[in-house]
Amino acid sequence: EENLKDVYNELKNGYKFAFAFDGDADRIAFLDQKYNYKGDILAYFLAKNMSNPCVISEVKATQVMYDEINKFGRAIMYKTGHSNLKTLLKKENCDLAAEVSGHIFFNDRYFGIDDAIYVAFRIMELIKEGFEFDKEFEKLPKVYNTDELKIKTTEEKKFAIIENLKNYLNENKEKLEIVDIVDVDGVRVIFKDGWGLVRASNTTPVLVTRFEAKSEGLLKNIQAKLTEILNKFL
């Protein structure tokens, strides 16, 4: 957010839309006067304008994106990491892949790479066609989520912690009222009204957590419950 201060100032001056890129222009931020749309929501917008799309995203992405895309296409949850998404995109011959961070890969009318300049043109195409981003976003089910929360550990311990956590959750699934456990990358624990994720970072000695729920109260409950269990293995 701190890197977007100048962008927000320009939007206050009357511009309707704004784009920002990281240093090598493989990640995009797209904003209008109301919202900063993350990569998973952008994937939903872009998929909405394709016929029967196949879309790949990561374990950190909002459940709303998966549920909504599955109504008119196919959404696949996969490992975090742009190299992982790029590989599966080619293997599955899907149309699009996206990370929350703004890595977006078009295989549809493009080369399956995370070129943020090209993504900007595809968003401009939607603007030209009159796509109302804020109204489409507000139609989606309302959820509350955290940013990525990082817990320091060591390279030696991080994967063992995830394995121990996964085993414990599977053994106590019924008692903890867990609906499902997705273990494609760490553990994404799905409850009736939300989910929590714990995964080992690919690049640093940390565990990454993220939580989402249908209300702020449920979000706090899920975060507290999963954090308490995780603490048993740190």
Side-chain angles (χ1 to χ4, degrees):
E1 286 293 318
E2 61 269 22
N3 293 333
L4 295 171
K5 284 177 185 172
D6 292 334
V7 177
Y8 282 117
N9 287 335
E10 291 301 328
L11 285 166
K12 285 176 189 171
N13 290 335
Y15 287 96
K16 289 184 179 178
F17 305 106
F19 300 92
F21 308 96
D22 69 339
D24 58 352
D26 62 0
R27 282 183 289 153
I28 189 168
F30 172 61
L31 306 87
D32 62 20
Q33 291 183 337
K34 292 176 80 173
Y35 302 109
N36 174 7
Y37 302 105
K38 302 298 184 187
D40 47 357
I41 295 299
L42 283 177
Y44 166 71
F45 290 155
L46 294 159
K48 209 168 183 321
N49 288 268
M50 297 176 184
S51 175
N52 192 30
C54 172
V55 179
I56 301 167
S57 193
E58 56 168 331
V59 290
K60 288 185 289 186
T62 175
Q63 190 64 40
V64 170
M65 182 212 69
Y66 290 106
D67 292 345
E68 293 300 313
I69 289 177
N70 278 326
K71 291 176 182 177
F72 57 83
R74 176 179 169 227
I76 301 170
M77 189 182 293
Y78 197 51
K79 298 175 184 177
T80 289
H82 62 97
S83 59
N84 293 322
L85 296 187
K86 195 182 296 182
T87 302
L88 192 65
L89 183 67
K90 293 290 187 185
K91 183 181 174 185
E92 293 286 336
N93 196 28
C94 283
D95 302 290
L96 182 69
E99 281 192 307
V100 177
S101 65
H103 280 287
I104 297 178
F105 311 74
F106 271 103
N107 209 22
D108 170 67
R109 293 156 50 194
Y110 207 55
F111 306 111
I113 57 173
D114 47 344
D115 179 348
I117 305 294
Y118 178 75
V119 176
F121 283 118
R122 291 293 288 258
I123 294 170
M124 287 181 205
E125 186 176 58
L126 294 186
I127 293 169
K128 178 177 177 287
E129 291 168 2
F131 189 87
E132 296 181 299
F133 296 91
D134 56 347
K135 288 185 175 141
E136 291 295 333
F137 181 62
E138 286 162 4
K139 285 180 194 173
L140 294 171
K142 176 70 175 169
V143 292
Y144 298 81
N145 46 45
T146 66
D147 290 327
E148 287 184 30
L149 306 170
K150 296 181 180 179
I151 300 165
K152 288 183 180 177
T153 182
T154 65
E155 285 295 323
E156 294 75 27
K157 287 174 67 178
K158 65 182 184 182
F159 291 111
I161 292 169
I162 296 297
E163 196 60 30
N164 290 333
L165 175 64
K166 182 170 70 174
N167 291 338
Y168 179 88
L169 292 169
N170 277 307
E171 287 165 9
N172 295 276
K173 199 171 175 182
E174 193 173 328
K175 176 181 158 188
L176 295 167
E177 299 180 317
I178 294 170
V179 174
D180 196 12
I181 296 172
V182 179
D183 61 1
V184 68
D185 183 7
V187 279
R188 177 164 165 148
V189 190
I190 300 170
F191 299 96
K192 182 186 168 189
D193 296 308
W195 56 270
L197 170 73
V198 186
R199 60 177 292 274
S201 167
N202 294 322
T203 53
T204 54
V206 299
L207 302 175
V208 179
T209 66
R210 192 177 191 224
F211 306 91
E212 179 176 278
K214 293 179 181 177
S215 73
E216 289 180 323
L218 288 165
L219 179 65
K220 286 177 183 174
N221 289 344
I222 289 172
Q223 184 174 352
K225 183 191 284 191
L226 207 50
T227 303
E228 184 183 352
I229 295 167
L230 176 61
N231 285 336
K232 297 176 188 288
F233 305 106
L234 294 180

